[in-house]
Amino acid sequence: IMMDIDSSSSSPVMAEVNSKTSSESNNPQSTPRQSEKNLMVHPLAIIGMSDHYTRIQMGGSPLHPSSPVLGLLFGWQDGLDITIVDSEEIEYSHSSSSTPPSNGEFGFGRGADTEVTSHQQSIRLKIELHQKVFPTHELIGWYRVGNTIIPEDLYINNHPSSIVKELNESPLFVLMNPDAED
């Protein structure tokens, strides 16, 4: 997904994503369907993600600079129109436990059972508090700051036991690349 950002506009950023299916592109006689998704990202969400990353990198956070930078995305969805208006950071660290968890998996969000439970409770509380203040916002998905997609991203986004997948059947994943050039 490629997103163009118009920094000269004071209104929310608009990005259009074309997602034609192979039957639409290969069969000119297929029935017409709406195949374009519209993704609107409010600058506040982008600033929140950027601020979260900057605080961790510059020492303004108790987390180590090598900690994964993850957060939740809030907004609303109407058909193929998705609006992201806010981001909320979450603290997710790699497992420090040498004891294998019952699921046998390590990585962020997949530590020892007590770590996983603690992370899930923290995420649920963040969502609950956010929705008390902004009752029209729903969990749209999540973000991570990094250069490439890693296996943990796929786990968090697709695994049925992932809390993000539990709270949104089709979560949107945004990878914010801090090293991208213009």
Side-chain angles (χ1 to χ4, degrees):
I1 295 175
M2 184 83 110
M3 188 164 54
D4 294 322
I5 298 176
D6 178 7
S7 60
S8 64
S9 173
S10 62
S11 65
V13 178
M14 185 66 165
E16 291 185 358
V17 180
N18 291 324
S19 61
K20 293 182 179 176
T21 64
S22 59
S23 65
E24 290 173 307
S25 57
N26 295 335
N27 184 359
Q29 296 190 11
S30 65
T31 57
R33 293 185 256 167
Q34 182 180 1
S35 62
E36 192 171 280
K37 292 181 183 180
N38 293 310
L39 176 64
M40 185 185 289
V41 182
H42 194 278
L44 179 62
I46 296 170
I47 289 170
M49 290 184 280
S50 178
D51 178 63
H52 183 200
Y53 172 75
T54 301
R55 279 184 286 110
I56 288 176
Q57 293 302 304
M58 303 312 288
S61 168
L63 296 175
H64 188 274
S66 66
S67 298
V69 179
L70 289 94
L72 305 171
L73 298 171
F74 291 94
W76 51 86
Q77 182 171 356
D78 182 20
L80 294 177
D81 295 330
I82 302 170
T83 303
I84 298 173
V85 293
D86 203 0
S87 61
E88 188 80 38
E89 64 189 65
I90 56 174
E91 293 181 4
Y92 242 43
S93 60
H94 286 275
S95 175
S96 59
S97 171
S98 59
T99 306
S102 63
N103 62 8
E105 299 174 340
F106 288 95
F108 57 81
R110 295 188 284 170
D113 292 340
T114 56
E115 292 171 311
V116 170
T117 301
S118 174
H119 289 156
Q120 289 178 348
Q121 289 172 342
S122 171
I123 291 169
R124 287 182 199 285
L125 179 61
K126 289 241 183 201
I127 293 168
E128 179 184 329
L129 292 174
H130 185 94
Q131 290 178 330
K132 280 185 179 181
V133 177
F134 304 104
T136 61
H137 292 185
E138 59 188 76
L139 179 67
I140 296 296
W142 66 289
Y143 71 88
R144 185 177 65 79
V145 179
N147 299 323
T148 59
I149 294 175
I150 58 176
E152 283 86 351
D153 296 333
L154 300 175
Y155 177 86
I156 289 173
N157 211 62
N158 299 326
H159 197 275
S161 69
S162 163
I163 185 134
V164 175
K165 185 75 171 176
E166 176 188 324
L167 299 171
N168 183 321
E169 68 183 31
S170 184
L172 177 70
F173 169 59
V174 173
L175 178 64
M176 183 174 160
N177 184 347
D179 300 326
E181 296 186 24
D182 293 342

